Amino acid sequence: MLPAAAPALPARTEIRDLAFFPEAAHQCGPAALATVLTWSGLSATPDAVVKQVYSPALKGSLQPALISGARRHGRIAYEIAGRDALWQEVAAGHPVIVLQNLGISWNPVWHYAVVMGYDQPQQTVVLRSGQTARQSMSFHLFDRTWARANRWGMVVLPPSQLPATAEERPFVAAVIGLEKARQWPAAITGYRTALARWPKSLAARMGIGNSYYAMGDLAAAERAFREAVSFHPEAGAAYNNLAQVLMAQGRATEALPAARQAVALGGPLAEVYRQTLEEIRKRLETDAAGESARF
Amino acid sequence: MKSKDWLRRLVCALMVVSLLFWSAPPQAVWAAWVETESVLNPSAADSARARLEIFLARQDVQAALQTHGIDPREACSRAASLSDGEILRVADRIPEMPAGGSALGVVIGAGLVVFIVLLVTDILGFTHVFPFVTHRR
């Protein structure tokens, strides 16, 4: 049933000013993605995203393709599952891409639509779907088609915003996806958003340093790792990357104690820390040899 | 002729060496760097990603991808922007993962089965069949 289970939510809601891209033949994935990307503040069209998400041979778009498509535009792609999450996101004003099976289990007809509202008294769900700008569907029918696709959904947000249903690990993992898509400024914003809610997240602090490092901003990376070691003095990984970033700036002497601390702390990545320490020792030896040769 | 050959080899060698350095992302320069993902999930360093990359780089796989209208470079960049967790899930679930198409679609298509069979036999050990949509309009 509709939101009854969550009394804190409004009885009816509908997201206004949502772009509408009438779907071309089996292009529901690009149309849905362009709709939410535009909502998130980008100027996107289905034509612009089609190459990134659409697989011609499948005549459709796979879910991971939609996820990575959103990330390549510097947007957080956060998956949701189940009805409660869907109502919460829509009530928070976040349009949700949903996968429906409009056929039956043994003859599936997969379709992406965007949920833009619901009406609890009327028991309806409002969708942007295919050629229809505003489709009001009975909740019962919608839920049957959605359940056949395991009630999969996804919100696409600017990295400065948290999904209404955000949890720490999956959210940080979604930001890591941005980092992997080489969207480093967006990833840094995403990690900061995570830290505002979960200040103890070591991964988010490390992610900031790693993203700055990938951008080539060594000074900012160093600041991030120094912050990481001060918040997490137990984290060898933070000392390890601090040592590496100091070394990258030609400061092997300063890197040495950080690398030693990482090795002393140990943990599952201890082998990596030992390797860092080894690199630094070698560097110092070469430097010393260079010095003595000069005199 | 002989000196030309020699020159060609030198140019080739130089290009290979420069490509090796040029294409390496900063993290790859040092093996002893800790990625954000390893912080979140240190135990899952098992690399489904590496397997997938090797898989996608293979010539026969690239040919199969092209046959089915997928640009191999596009496939690689899609794969690269997924997290390890998602890569693992893709590896586990590709056969049952639906592609959303049109509401008018019906299920047909033996060609795709070839692609899946390729996946099945060659790398990930899949055991199901990919549900997919094709269009009859």
Side-chain angles (χ1 to χ4, degrees):
Chain A
M1 282 291 108
L2 229 68
L9 298 179
R12 63 172 69 81
T13 185
E14 188 166 332
I15 299 162
R16 306 285 164 188
D17 52 84
L18 198 59
F20 173 49
F21 300 107
E23 166 196 337
H26 34 250
Q27 299 281 352
C28 58
L33 184 60
T35 301
V36 294
L37 284 174
T38 307
W39 170 85
S40 79
L42 297 173
S43 53
T45 60
D47 287 345
V49 298
V50 72
K51 195 177 178 305
Q52 294 169 351
V53 302
Y54 185 67
S55 302
L58 303 177
K59 297 203 168 36
S61 310
L62 296 171
Q63 292 142 291
L66 288 188
I67 293 171
S68 71
R71 287 180 185 160
R72 287 160 75 189
H73 284 87
R75 289 297 183 249
I76 295 280
Y78 192 81
E79 287 177 277
I80 63 156
R83 287 171 286 203
D84 288 348
L86 175 65
W87 310 135
Q88 282 182 55
E89 292 297 345
V90 174
H94 303 152
V96 182
I97 295 182
V98 289
L99 181 67
Q100 294 170 280
N101 178 358
L102 302 175
I104 37 184
S105 60
W106 48 269
N107 187 8
V109 179
W110 302 107
H111 178 68
Y112 290 109
V114 178
V115 177
M116 55 194 275
Y118 63 78
D119 187 322
Q120 209 251 326
Q122 298 284 325
Q123 291 286 301
T124 54
V125 178
V126 186
L127 304 157
R128 278 251 191 292
S129 183
Q131 307 272 358
T132 318
R134 187 180 184 283
Q135 180 179 42
S136 181
M137 192 184 248
S138 90
F139 172 71
H140 184 65
L141 176 58
F142 167 77
D143 194 53
R144 263 193 306 176
T145 62
W146 194 35
R148 286 189 214 118
N150 296 324
R151 295 200 177 91
W152 182 86
M154 166 175 111
V155 289
V156 171
L157 296 171
S160 55
Q161 290 178 31
L162 280 176
T165 56
E167 286 172 33
E168 180 176 347
R169 279 184 72 88
F171 184 78
V172 172
V175 183
I176 291 174
L178 276 177
E179 192 188 324
K180 290 203 180 291
R182 308 170 72 85
Q183 296 285 334
W184 297 302
I188 290 167
T189 307
Y191 289 129
R192 292 198 198 287
T193 306
L195 284 173
R197 168 76 71 90
W198 304 285
K200 287 181 182 161
S201 170
L202 170 65
R205 272 185 213 284
M206 293 289 291
I208 292 173
N210 286 350
S211 302
Y212 274 124
Y213 179 75
M215 288 165 75
D217 189 341
L218 299 181
E222 182 190 333
R223 276 198 302 277
F225 292 126
R226 287 202 187 280
E227 217 176 277
V229 300
S230 79
F231 276 91
H232 301 272
E234 78 294 344
Y239 282 101
N240 179 80
N241 287 14
L242 175 61
Q244 289 284 8
V245 103
L246 289 168
M247 241 209 340
Q249 298 175 88
R251 290 150 65 189
T253 323
E254 291 171 70
L256 188 63
R260 281 204 177 119
Q261 185 62 22
V263 171
L265 288 165
L269 300 165
E271 192 45 50
V272 175
Y273 311 154
R274 275 192 285 276
Q275 214 176 319
T276 298
L277 186 56
E278 192 56 29
E279 282 174 26
I280 293 170
R281 283 200 175 122
K282 271 193 199 132
R283 176 77 63 89
L284 286 168
E285 274 167 31
T286 356
D287 289 357
E291 287 291 308
S292 57
R294 209 174 294 160
F295 293 105
Chain B
M1 277 324 261
K2 209 172 180 187
S3 68
K4 216 174 167 186
D5 258 10
W6 173 84
L7 190 67
R8 197 183 293 156
R9 267 185 213 162
L10 178 70
V11 170
C12 248
L14 283 175
M15 281 184 73
V16 167
V17 171
S18 66
L19 273 175
L20 280 177
F21 283 95
W22 175 75
S23 61
Q27 277 96 332
V29 176
W30 293 306
W33 182 268
V34 181
E35 302 274 353
T36 316
E37 187 139 47
S38 312
V39 179
L40 194 65
N41 204 0
S43 58
D46 177 279
S47 72
R49 181 180 304 280
R51 278 188 301 154
L52 193 68
E53 272 166 10
I54 292 164
F55 176 65
L56 289 173
R58 279 173 40 176
Q59 253 180 1
D60 53 345
V61 174
Q62 297 211 341
L65 289 172
Q66 267 160 349
T67 310
H68 293 278
I70 299 167
D71 179 354
R73 277 170 309 174
E74 186 56 32
C76 289
S77 46
R78 281 187 200 179
S81 63
L82 296 172
S83 70
D84 275 357
E86 282 154 0
I87 292 261
L88 286 166
R89 223 176 51 190
V90 169
D92 286 335
R93 287 189 45 207
I94 273 190
E96 56 185 81
M97 194 151 43
S102 161
L104 299 171
V106 290
V107 174
I108 318 170
L112 189 65
V113 176
V114 176
F115 177 46
I116 296 314
V117 166
L118 207 73
L119 286 169
V120 174
T121 53
D122 275 333
I123 180 146
L124 298 166
F126 294 148
T127 49
H128 311 265
V129 178
F130 213 136
F132 52 90
V133 181
T134 189
H135 202 254
R136 81 181 148 188
R137 188 156 52 181

